[in-house]
Amino acid sequence: MSRQLRQQLGFTLLGLATTIVVLPILLLVGYILVQGASAISWEFITAMPREGMRAGGIWPALVGTVLLTLGTAIFAVPVGIAVAIYLAEYAHDTSLTRLIRLAIINLAGVPSVVYGLFGLGLFVIFLRLGTSILAGSLTLAIMTLPVIISTAEEALRAVPQSFRIVSLSLGATQWQTVRRVVLPQALPGILTGVILGLERAAGETAPILFTVAAFFLPRLPRSIFDQTMALPYHLFVISTQVPGMPLRIQYGTALVLLAFVLSMNALATVIRSHFRRRRQW
Amino acid sequence: MREPKFLLENVSYIYEDGARALHDISLCIYPHKITAIFGPAGGGKSTLLRLLNRLNDLVPGRHLEGRVLLDGEDIYAPGVDVHALRRRVGMVFATPVPLPMSIRRNLTYGPELAGVRDRARLDELVERSLRAAALWDEVKDRLDEPASALSGGQQQRLCLARTLALEPEVILLDEPTSGLDPISTAKVEASLQELKRRYTIVIVPHSVQQAARVADHAVFMLQGELVEEGPGELLFTRPHDQRTEDYITGRFG
Ligand SMILES: Nc1ncnc2c1ncn2[C@@H]1O[C@H](COP(=O)(O)OP(=O)(O)O)[C@@H](O)[C@H]1O
Ligand SMILES: [Mg+2]
């Protein structure tokens, strides 16, 4: 076989592989779009569910998911970035820090239902937070932390060592170096990790199942100690627990959840390019 | 003779792996002179420079013996403010590393951290240090552009200017022209001749020729030992030590 032919074949195979990966995603999104689009209306988004969720809207579930995502971010983002900074910039390479890293990597692979049970035990029962937005957010935050920590640490480590040495040689302290040189460089990478983590938190059912999610609660939560409906659990409920559910409501709900997650992605892209423009070099 | 700026007393330095990078070095570095430390690679020249502003503090497991005095004070004494020391003793590296910021912010980075807030004062520092590094005319209209857009020679002069903006007393240069073309090299060397009026300059030249061109005082180092030192014009024409002569005449290294 000639080199050109082999190269041609290689490209074809790679193209095929890409198609195999991308096609199902496009099909999935397209299918949900086609099936769910007819359900989407102003009322569907902003109204309470009625008639055993077979009519009306998904407003409380949407609000619940937004609140839980925000709550997760409030706990997981500062802690996650702080831990990553500590591991990447300050911690010496000891057996303890190696153990911490190993633990973090392994935590990222723990099934989400385990986090749910953990949250039930620690936050709901032991800390007496009850099934509440607070307990749910904390549980989701614990689940999200490993993702944020490992991507943020990686982003920090990717910043060239020479920047740190130059900064220190100009009389900067280590913290000033992190704050003014390293963090701004690592920010786009950190943001990607944050969004990845929060997207997972927004879409998970198991961690909120025992800690916050209400089966049917046609009102908005009154405080962070209140229960709330949430989109992923609501989707699970209307898909499996309610007989005679119109299909388009299920797909409409899935579509809203998908749109929420994708809009977080879009937001991240906007923020990233904003930083890139402000970062002057 | 004037008081030495730096005084090294029996300095030995060992890295974590046991490599003895410096062996019993005693040396005076005088103000308003260019001291050139030269010798083959691995001789401990960079190690010596990094000792002078304590950049070697970043290396784990090092071991230092002897004393390093700046204006008569031990810079390794407990309680010394390392950050203030590094502003007094600035450093220019072999590879220019502009911080990922604009040209202007590269220059104001150090002064701002040192507490200079006044805009006019910062602007003045920017202009003065760029002029001293012979870069002002080339960049004065593009101060807010990214520093990484400069050419290699310009970047190295920017790094020199960035060090000057700290208003240091001593400037350390570790093979500052090793990556530069002859014209940029000449510009940097010319700046040094200007700068030595105000500063103490210690340079590790990237060649014997450069050492001979710039050195007021020359120090020959070989495998961690100080072999010979003396006024530049003498050391390069009539070295005492056979090893110095061999190196200068190109018989090894
Ligand atoms: N960070 C370091 N860790 C361990 N050994 C080092 C380190 N830096 C330099 N050395 C060793 O110290 C010796 C002197 O190196 P260096 O000061 O870089 O010499 P020069 O600048 O004259 O080439 C060499 O043997 C080198 O391998
Ligand atoms: Mg060197």
Side-chain angles (χ1 to χ4, degrees):
Chain A
M1 207 164 27
S2 78
R3 270 178 64 178
Q4 252 169 349
L5 206 65
R6 254 186 298 171
Q7 175 161 332
Q8 197 62 51
L9 191 72
F11 280 135
T12 312
L13 284 176
L14 283 177
L16 209 64
T18 313
T19 316
I20 289 173
V21 173
V22 173
L23 202 63
I25 299 175
L26 288 180
L27 280 178
L28 180 93
V29 173
Y31 187 68
I32 290 177
L33 202 65
V34 169
Q35 295 285 320
S38 64
I40 303 296
S41 67
W42 184 245
E43 198 212 342
F44 183 69
I45 306 280
T46 59
M48 298 294 162
R50 278 180 284 112
E51 297 166 30
M53 298 182 263
R54 285 181 199 85
I58 54 166
W59 180 237
L62 179 59
V63 170
T65 285
V66 171
L67 288 177
L68 285 171
T69 308
L70 277 178
T72 306
I74 288 171
F75 292 117
V77 173
V79 175
I81 294 179
V83 172
I85 290 177
Y86 173 74
L87 286 177
E89 304 292 326
Y90 290 91
H92 296 286
D93 193 30
T94 63
S95 45
L96 179 69
T97 52
R98 270 196 293 264
L99 193 72
I100 293 175
R101 263 192 209 99
L102 194 69
I104 290 168
I105 290 169
N106 281 304
L107 278 176
V110 170
S112 56
V113 66
V114 177
Y115 284 103
L117 286 172
F118 175 76
L120 173 68
L122 179 64
F123 299 121
V124 178
I125 298 172
F126 184 73
L127 293 177
R128 295 162 199 270
L129 296 178
T131 41
S132 61
I133 293 180
L134 187 58
S137 299
L138 285 167
T139 307
L140 287 169
I142 300 273
M143 181 191 77
T144 311
L145 268 174
V147 181
I148 296 184
I149 293 173
S150 33
T151 42
E153 190 189 351
E154 213 164 293
L156 290 166
R157 284 189 189 281
V159 177
Q161 189 64 15
S162 55
F163 287 161
R164 297 184 181 82
I165 293 175
V166 162
S167 171
L168 292 169
S169 82
L170 292 169
T173 62
Q174 203 179 351
W175 171 242
Q176 287 167 334
T177 301
V178 170
R179 185 48 207 78
R180 288 167 160 255
V181 178
V182 181
L183 260 186
Q185 282 294 297
L187 215 56
I190 293 177
L191 198 67
T192 304
V194 165
I195 294 297
L196 274 177
L198 291 182
E199 279 174 358
R200 186 174 170 214
E204 280 287 355
T205 310
I208 56 174
L209 192 56
F210 320 118
T211 54
V212 50
F215 186 86
F216 179 66
L217 189 67
R219 61 167 173 79
L220 294 184
R222 302 201 172 95
S223 80
I224 57 169
F225 297 104
D226 206 353
Q227 294 185 30
T228 180
M229 295 178 77
L231 282 176
Y233 184 55
H234 181 63
L235 187 56
F236 168 75
V237 166
I238 61 177
S239 309
T240 60
Q241 312 289 308
V242 186
M245 196 69 202
L247 256 189
R248 55 183 193 87
I249 292 196
Q250 292 168 13
Y251 280 104
T253 307
L255 185 56
V256 171
L257 181 57
L258 199 66
F260 177 66
V261 169
L262 288 181
S263 66
M264 280 167 64
N265 251 330
L267 185 71
T269 310
V270 169
I271 297 177
R272 259 199 305 266
S273 70
H274 171 77
F275 270 112
R276 218 168 284 136
R277 243 179 295 117
R278 246 193 39 190
R279 212 161 48 159
Q280 342 142 287
W281 85 82
Chain B
M1 198 82 179
R2 260 188 286 236
E3 284 290 302
K5 190 72 185 171
F6 266 112
L7 178 58
L8 281 73
E9 292 179 347
N10 308 102
V11 171
S12 293
Y13 192 91
I14 302 170
Y15 282 104
E16 189 176 25
D17 54 11
R20 184 172 272 270
L22 296 175
H23 183 69
D24 198 23
I25 306 275
S26 293
L27 177 66
C28 289
I29 293 169
Y30 288 98
H32 309 299
K33 277 189 194 305
I34 297 179
T35 301
I37 301 174
F38 71 106
K45 307 178 298 288
S46 299
T47 302
L48 180 64
L49 280 201
R50 288 196 300 261
L51 280 184
L52 300 181
N53 69 351
R54 289 188 57 170
L55 263 190
N56 255 18
D57 287 13
L58 308 176
V59 182
R62 72 239 168 256
H63 179 70
L64 173 72
E65 280 167 29
R67 298 206 302 163
V68 183
L69 307 180
L70 172 60
D71 288 337
E73 308 211 353
D74 187 348
I75 61 171
Y76 284 87
V80 168
D81 179 349
V82 183
H83 311 293
L85 170 74
R86 291 189 187 138
R87 284 191 278 270
R88 286 176 70 191
V89 185
M91 178 109 159
V92 178
F93 301 88
T95 344
V97 178
L99 291 174
M101 315 164 173
S102 68
I103 295 172
R104 187 198 307 278
R105 292 224 28 233
N106 259 278
L107 294 161
T108 56
Y109 183 81
E112 277 178 10
L113 293 182
V116 181
R117 288 274 175 276
D118 181 42
R119 256 277 47 103
R121 171 99 183 87
L122 288 170
D123 284 344
E124 186 217 316
L125 271 177
V126 167
E127 177 167 350
R128 186 145 48 87
S129 42
L130 282 174
R131 280 190 192 281
L135 189 58
W136 174 253
D137 289 328
E138 288 159 65
V139 301
K140 61 171 185 257
D141 300 320
R142 45 194 283 212
L143 290 177
D144 293 308
E145 283 176 30
S148 58
L150 297 173
S151 74
Q154 290 174 325
Q155 287 188 6
Q156 191 56 301
R157 278 176 283 147
L158 177 74
C159 291
L160 176 59
R162 186 171 62 190
T163 301
L164 295 176
L166 298 172
E167 307 197 286
E169 299 162 31
V170 183
I171 303 171
L172 312 173
L173 305 107
D174 194 350
E175 309 195 23
T177 59
S178 57
L180 301 190
D181 60 277
I183 294 173
S184 303
T185 302
K187 281 187 186 171
V188 171
E189 286 178 16
S191 312
L192 294 184
Q193 294 304 333
E194 275 303 308
L195 293 170
K196 75 176 182 189
R197 297 192 210 167
R198 303 190 50 208
Y199 307 93
T200 305
I201 294 179
V202 186
I203 181 172
V204 175
H206 79 266
S207 66
V208 179
Q209 289 76 9
Q210 185 175 46
R213 280 199 302 271
V214 301
D216 297 315
H217 189 80
V219 180
F220 178 57
M221 285 190 63
L222 187 62
Q223 292 172 357
E225 286 187 47
L226 195 163
V227 174
E228 182 173 358
E229 61 170 316
E233 63 271 23
L234 280 180
L235 194 105
F236 291 105
T237 51
R238 267 170 286 143
H240 288 293
D241 197 290
Q242 186 62 41
R243 291 170 291 173
T244 317
E245 184 169 344
D246 288 349
Y247 184 70
I248 293 172
T249 54
R251 242 168 279 172
F252 75 91

